[in-house]
Amino acid sequence: MKKLLVIMLSILLVTSFVGCKKKPADTTANGETKTTEQKGSTETKAATDFAYYPADAMVIGEVDVKSLMNLKGIKEVLDKELPKIEQELGIKFDKVATASFYMNVKNINETPSGAVVVNELDFSSLKAKAQKTEQVEGVDVFHMDSESGFSIIDKDTIIGTIDALKSMVALKKGKGENLASTQNSAVFKETMGKLGNSVLKMSFVPNAVVQAELKKAAEMQPMFAGFINNFKAASFGLGVDEKNLYVYINAKSEKQAVADFVKMANDQITAMGGEIEKQ
């Protein structure tokens, strides 16, 4: 299980250094950041379906895995390392095209729970290594250790912490309260929709407890106080073309606070040698 998580993290880390141009966002009149859809990027293949995210999801995301794995910098690493991992685990990644994920945390100091749903990733060979097997809505949930496991539904493999895994399995079977039934779904939809044709999309909408903790933290960060005190949501996206990596960052907060935050982020990118393109 840890090996798979290392693979996913490696993909995201390598992607962060692909390309030479980074495209920041402008600020809209209502205190949100705005992006212009880039040309030449790869469109995420699977549209967001909020019915398959738990109601308490605080972070959700989608990944066009196939496009990411075919990026030059990432492909060079995976061509060398992936065969070793596939042989060790007995798993093939060649058919994987998309993935979606969610995360939840009750408060800032708590270890988050979450799960990722990966299509066309056959985990059958790992069933025999499970420490425990139980059924949720008629679906086998395989415990690989005391905290994490996986389950297989049709052509999807769900991997995550046990509590999150059970929630995702139940939702796949039409049981339990989903994100689509909550008021937060509109905020997620709005922020996810501002990321153009990104190959990686993720959105963060804090719950009431985390929002209160953020405001308390703002007392120790005066320069970010305006942004944090009025913070409602944020989203992040990565788009690519043949030569460039496009970074999209959006936030819902007070107008001037967002503008100041974006300026600071742009200054940091410039200091690291990135090229800023205003839209």
Side-chain angles (χ1 to χ4, degrees), residues 106-109 208-218 228:
K106 293 180 180 178
N107 58 67
I108 292 177
N109 297 318
V209 173
V210 171
Q211 201 163 31
E213 291 177 334
L214 288 174
K215 288 183 177 182
K216 187 176 181 179
I228 297 174

Side-chain angles (χ1 to χ4, degrees), residues 183-220:
Q183 292 182 339
N184 277 353
S185 63
V187 182
F188 275 114
K189 183 177 181 179
E190 182 182 3
T191 55
M192 293 280 278
K194 296 178 180 293
L195 300 176
N197 291 332
S198 299
V199 296
L200 167 63
K201 295 182 177 184
M202 62 185 298
S203 182
F204 165 58
V205 179
N207 59 33
V209 173
V210 171
Q211 201 163 31
E213 291 177 334
L214 288 174
K215 288 183 177 182
K216 187 176 181 179
E219 299 173 2
M220 297 179 286

Side-chain angles (χ1 to χ4, degrees), residues 72-211:
K72 183 178 179 181
I74 295 175
K75 192 174 186 305
E76 290 173 354
V77 174
L78 294 181
D79 284 348
K80 180 179 179 181
E81 299 297 330
L82 200 55
K84 303 175 186 176
I85 296 170
E86 288 181 332
Q87 183 175 9
E88 180 180 342
L89 297 179
I91 297 171
K92 289 290 185 180
F93 292 85
D94 56 312
K95 293 183 179 180
V96 175
T98 61
S100 60
F101 59 89
Y102 99 95
M103 187 181 74
N104 182 46
V105 62
K106 293 180 180 178
N107 58 67
I108 292 177
N109 297 318
E110 184 179 275
T111 302
S113 62
V116 57
V117 181
V118 188
N119 80 314
E120 298 286 359
L121 180 61
D122 188 359
F123 258 39
S124 298
S125 62
L126 297 182
K127 292 180 180 180
K129 299 180 181 180
Q131 295 181 359
K132 174 184 174 183
T133 303
E134 66 174 307
Q135 284 205 332
V136 175
E137 301 297 335
V139 177
D140 287 332
V141 173
F142 301 94
H143 295 237
M144 301 307 290
D145 52 44
S146 61
E147 299 178 349
S148 62
F150 73 93
S151 189
I152 302 172
I153 300 179
D154 298 325
K155 293 185 178 181
D156 289 334
T157 292
I158 308 173
I159 310 155
T161 56
I162 298 300
D163 56 341
L165 178 58
K166 290 180 179 180
S167 294
M168 293 290 277
V169 169
L171 289 176
K172 284 281 189 180
K173 290 296 182 178
K175 304 290 185 178
E177 186 180 1
N178 58 45
L179 185 59
S181 65
T182 71
Q183 292 182 339
N184 277 353
S185 63
V187 182
F188 275 114
K189 183 177 181 179
E190 182 182 3
T191 55
M192 293 280 278
K194 296 178 180 293
L195 300 176
N197 291 332
S198 299
V199 296
L200 167 63
K201 295 182 177 184
M202 62 185 298
S203 182
F204 165 58
V205 179
N207 59 33
V209 173
V210 171
Q211 201 163 31

Side-chain angles (χ1 to χ4, degrees), residues 25-35 187 190-191 194 227 232-233 249-256 258-259 262:
D26 288 338
T27 307
T28 63
N30 61 354
E32 301 170 15
T33 53
K34 179 183 179 182
T35 61
V187 182
E190 182 182 3
T191 55
K194 296 178 180 293
F227 178 81
K232 300 293 188 297
I249 302 174
N250 298 277
K252 288 177 68 67
S253 186
E254 188 271 329
K255 178 181 177 180
Q256 188 56 50
V258 173
V262 171

